[in-house]
Amino acid sequence: MVNKTAQAGTLESNDIMITVAPARQCSGIVIDLESIVLPQYGQTIRKVILQAVQAYGIANAYIKAIDRGALDYTIRARTEAALQRSGAAKRAFR
Amino acid sequence: MSELITFCGAFAKQPVQYRKAVRVKRMLPGISKVETSLEEVFNKIPITNGMTLSFHHHLRNGDQVVNLVLATAAKLGIRDLNIALSSVFPVHAPLIDHVCNGVVTGLDTNYLSGPVAKAISQGLLPQPIIMRTHGGRARAIECGQLPIDVAFIAAPCADSYGNLNGVMGKNACGSLGYAFPDAEYADYVVAITDCLEEYPLAQISISQTRVDYVVTIDSIGDAKGIVSGTTQVTKDPVGLKIAQMAAQVIQATGLLQDGFSFQTGAGGVSLAVAHYVRKMMQAGNITGSFALGGITGYMVDMLNDGCFQRLLDVQGFDMAAVRSLAANINHREIGADCYANPFNSGCAVNQLDAVILGATEIDTSFNVNVTTGSDGIIMGGSGGHSDAAAGAKVTIIVTNLLRGRLPIIVEKVLTVTTPGESVDVVVTERGIAVNPRRSDLRQRLADAGITVMNIEDLKLMAERIAGKPEQIVLADKVVALVEYRDGTIIDVVKQISSAN
């Protein structure tokens, strides 16, 4: 669960800055994405963030992502780091 | 507009015509050409609705002449002007208002950046603009496809009878080469200067025989925007690696011997290629023939070191280039026609051994886009890209494999600026590809121990790292016609979709 607002990443090129914040019950995962490659990779970036969040079993969160052309593994790592800083814990496998 | 012909090969179109006849003028003895009021000149010519006014871009982002002339036109209520400005920079943003107010309805240029480029991409003008190459613009002027009513020449130095140069005065910019065809062919030529010298000027780039008025103003530009303080070799390790590989490619071609001729841009990676080439030339005690194009201090150093015997300068990028052009007889100023016009008895790019060029995209058929960004917005144009690529024995594109996640090697470029048939080698930090048309080059590179990849494999490598990008969506309206240097249409630029 996201207990508090937390952030990971930078605004350097090829990085992404992810901010996660608690959200009300039933609000779902809201991703607010800015990207320099939005037309070409917007869908991909959303998918990678969503998968990382779901792996933590989180149902409600507000996520602000400012992308500067990060590759998928960077997006995944920054999302996980922000989630862990917010107090979320990764679900055990299976 | 005359009939459009589709591009069908870099050297397919042959000219069958005579050059445009130039308006014959006369100037009686005792008449002064000097004016202090631009409005007065507008009234004397007179400049009227629907005319084509031309400008050159040597003052780059420091230019104040275009804005001043257009503000004067607006003030006098003139409408429907066609603006033939060799390159458009961010400083020219007021052009947008002049379009919205009906003062300007057409644009003819070789390169656009900044707010005007974006506005054009968003459909600012009802009709498409024309984007040419530097050589193609000279051709269009000489062959009558770009008739100019009045050429305005920003002159860093002028004498009272209209002799001009770019090497003196507080806003010296060096070569005035792109203005040569305008001066030669326009019905009227107006020099605008902030440095008026007594007649006759010692160094003359554009002659009194073509200049009708000399208008004095306080300042033609902002020196900070005109020249870069120093143009420097990149420090980025990836850029340096690409440059080193490109220099090795040049060496492997066998062209790097006495008499070598070379063109490279002013960007950090291009300059780094020059840096490695210089080391090779010094190590091999090689004396090259000439370096061509936009000239930087680095090229001046190579001239002074004896790496080259001449510089052929159509545009100076920094103060070192300006000073050298003024002082060194081996540093020659050339016009756009001599530089790159395909329809004369031989332009300088034809004498090039190797040219280093950039790309925003290059496709697996080696077509290069330097006109639009990956978002579809105009962010450049050929300039001399297509010209040098067509002329040089070896054309080398240097680029990162990825730029901000985006693969640079794609299946099909969004806009073709330079046709693949005149591109020979692509150098990225992760590998080199050679155009299949140049099996001779591929063999030479292999003989030199350089690994050559297929361009498709380089493309796949980039996609494995970044993923395959989705196609961007464009609107149907054509906002720019991309003209190849011979006047045929090689591609069009479409308006960006309002969703972007």
Side-chain angles (χ1 to χ4, degrees):
Chain A
M1 200 174 124
V2 174
N3 297 321
K4 59 179 182 187
T5 301
Q7 196 171 67
T10 70
L11 297 177
E12 297 291 320
S13 56
N14 292 103
D15 200 351
I16 185 168
M17 187 188 258
I18 302 271
T19 309
V20 299
R24 276 186 290 105
Q25 284 266 306
C26 304
S27 63
I29 312 287
V30 180
I31 299 173
D32 183 3
L33 174 64
E34 273 177 41
S35 173
I36 56 168
V37 289
L38 199 63
Q40 297 92 347
Y41 290 103
Q43 303 277 20
T44 308
I45 297 167
R46 285 177 184 281
K47 198 175 82 192
V48 171
I49 293 172
L50 191 64
Q51 281 172 352
V53 173
Q54 284 167 344
Y56 277 69
I58 291 164
N60 305 301
Y62 171 77
I63 295 168
K64 170 88 182 168
I66 306 173
D67 172 56
R68 294 283 187 264
L71 297 172
D72 288 352
Y73 50 74
T74 310
I75 298 167
R76 209 171 293 126
R78 294 306 193 190
T79 308
E80 283 204 32
L83 288 171
Q84 292 196 12
R85 286 170 187 170
S86 77
K90 197 166 186 173
R91 273 184 171 174
F93 281 107
R94 270 185 295 159
Chain B
M1 193 182 289
S2 54
E3 198 182 330
L4 299 178
I5 303 168
T6 309
F7 173 82
C8 57
F11 301 101
K13 191 185 171 201
Q14 293 186 43
V16 188
Q17 67 162 108
Y18 286 82
R19 278 191 183 183
K20 174 187 189 289
V22 175
R23 189 181 77 92
V24 177
K25 318 182 192 186
R26 79 162 183 174
M27 186 68 65
L28 294 172
I31 306 283
S32 168
K33 294 185 183 178
V34 179
E35 295 280 348
T36 50
S37 157
L38 193 55
E39 272 188 55
E40 190 64 28
V41 172
F42 264 70
N43 292 330
K44 277 187 174 175
I45 288 176
I47 293 177
T48 54
N49 294 353
M51 278 190 167
T52 294
L53 311 185
S54 89
F55 303 86
H56 65 109
H57 73 276
H58 294 93
L59 302 184
R60 285 183 286 278
N61 205 35
D63 175 58
Q64 286 167 14
V65 168
V66 172
N67 292 342
L68 178 70
V69 170
L70 293 184
T72 306
K75 187 179 165 198
L76 294 174
I78 295 165
R79 299 178 63 80
D80 201 20
L81 293 172
N82 182 36
I83 300 305
L85 164 57
S86 49
S87 296
V88 179
F89 287 87
V91 72
H92 298 124
L95 196 54
I96 297 170
D97 284 340
H98 293 308
V99 170
C100 295
N101 297 332
V103 178
V104 173
T105 48
L107 181 62
D108 191 305
T109 188
N110 312 339
Y111 180 98
L112 300 105
S113 62
V116 176
K118 185 162 187 192
I120 298 283
S121 294
Q122 290 166 336
L124 176 70
L125 280 160
Q127 285 176 21
I129 66 163
I130 301 179
M131 298 186 71
R132 306 185 196 263
T133 75
H134 283 333
R137 182 176 191 274
R139 185 218 79 250
I141 292 170
E142 294 178 1
C143 295
Q145 286 117 22
L146 174 52
I148 298 167
D149 293 297
V150 186
F152 288 90
I153 299 182
C157 186
D159 70 29
S160 55
Y161 214 48
N163 293 297
L164 318 176
N165 76 44
V167 294
M168 294 160 68
K170 63 180 177 183
N171 284 313
C173 62
S175 176
L176 295 179
Y178 292 127
F180 285 14
D182 305 46
E184 206 55 46
Y185 283 84
D187 285 359
Y188 294 88
V189 177
V190 180
I192 299 186
T193 191
D194 52 11
C195 173
L196 187 68
E197 293 281 326
E198 276 180 31
Y199 180 84
L201 214 54
Q203 258 179 295
I204 296 172
S205 298
I206 291 173
S207 156
Q208 63 185 51
T209 61
R210 295 300 310 161
V211 178
D212 304 295
Y213 298 96
V214 178
V215 180
T216 55
I217 61 173
D218 288 343
S219 178
I220 58 168
D222 171 9
K224 280 196 294 292
I226 297 171
V227 288
S228 351
T230 48
T231 32
Q232 290 196 337
V233 173
T234 185
K235 290 191 174 71
D236 168 37
V238 176
L240 285 172
K241 183 176 184 207
I242 295 168
Q244 194 167 17
M245 291 164 71
Q248 284 163 355
V249 168
I250 293 175
Q251 194 166 42
T253 61
L255 293 167
L256 201 53
Q257 48 182 301
D258 284 347
F260 175 67
S261 58
F262 185 54
Q263 177 169 340
T264 187
V269 177
S270 298
L271 278 182
V273 179
H275 173 75
Y276 289 113
V277 166
R278 180 189 196 175
K279 279 187 171 172
M280 288 169 179
M281 293 178 84
Q282 285 168 338
N285 210 9
I286 293 162
T287 306
S289 168
F290 70 95
L292 177 65
I295 299 297
T296 59
Y298 204 86
M299 288 294 145
V300 171
D301 289 345
M302 289 180 78
L303 175 71
N304 294 334
D305 280 1
C307 289
F308 294 111
Q309 292 179 301
R310 309 278 187 276
L311 298 181
L312 300 182
D313 183 345
V314 74
Q315 174 176 206
F317 281 112
D318 54 26
M319 279 317 290
V322 175
R323 284 191 295 269
S324 168
L325 181 65
N328 189 342
I329 193 159
N330 291 317
H331 184 157
R332 308 300 304 174
E333 181 177 19
I334 59 168
D337 170 57
C338 177
Y339 170 44
N341 180 356
F343 290 171
N344 60 25
S345 298
C347 54
V349 295
N350 289 356
Q351 290 289 314
L352 274 175
D353 285 332
V355 63
I356 302 293
L357 297 167
T360 53
E361 285 179 323
I362 177 162
D363 66 27
T364 48
S365 307
F366 288 81
N367 298 305
V368 174
N369 174 13
V370 287
T371 302
T372 47
S374 50
D375 50 8
I377 297 175
I378 298 170
M379 44 58 64
S382 171
H385 197 287
S386 308
D387 299 308
K393 290 196 184 82
V394 176
T395 298
I396 300 168
I397 303 293
V398 290
T399 177
N400 292 41
L401 189 67
L402 300 167
R403 199 175 290 134
R405 183 163 191 165
L406 289 165
I408 302 304
I409 302 175
V410 296
E411 196 176 323
K412 196 171 181 311
V413 289
L414 195 59
T415 312
V416 179
T417 315
T418 295
E421 66 175 282
S422 53
V423 172
D424 301 311
V425 185
V426 184
V427 178
T428 76
E429 75 277 20
R430 295 191 187 242
I432 294 168
V434 176
N435 192 326
R437 299 168 66 104
R438 295 301 302 268
S439 52
D440 59 321
L441 272 183
R442 194 184 171 109
Q443 189 57 47
R444 278 183 179 273
L445 264 54
D447 291 347
I450 295 172
T451 306
V452 176
M453 296 174 63
N454 288 327
I455 195 161
E456 288 82 5
D457 293 335
L458 273 175
K459 173 176 166 280
L460 285 174
M461 187 188 278
E463 285 173 359
R464 269 200 300 275
I465 296 167
K468 205 174 159 81
E470 278 161 58
Q471 291 284 314
I472 63 162
V473 181
L474 295 169
D476 287 333
K477 178 179 159 183
V478 173
V479 297
L481 299 174
V482 182
E483 192 191 81
Y484 190 60
R485 59 200 298 256
D486 64 2
T488 60
I489 303 300
I490 192 163
D491 209 343
V492 298
V493 178
K494 296 211 168 156
Q495 185 176 336
I496 54 168
S497 119
S498 50
N500 294 343

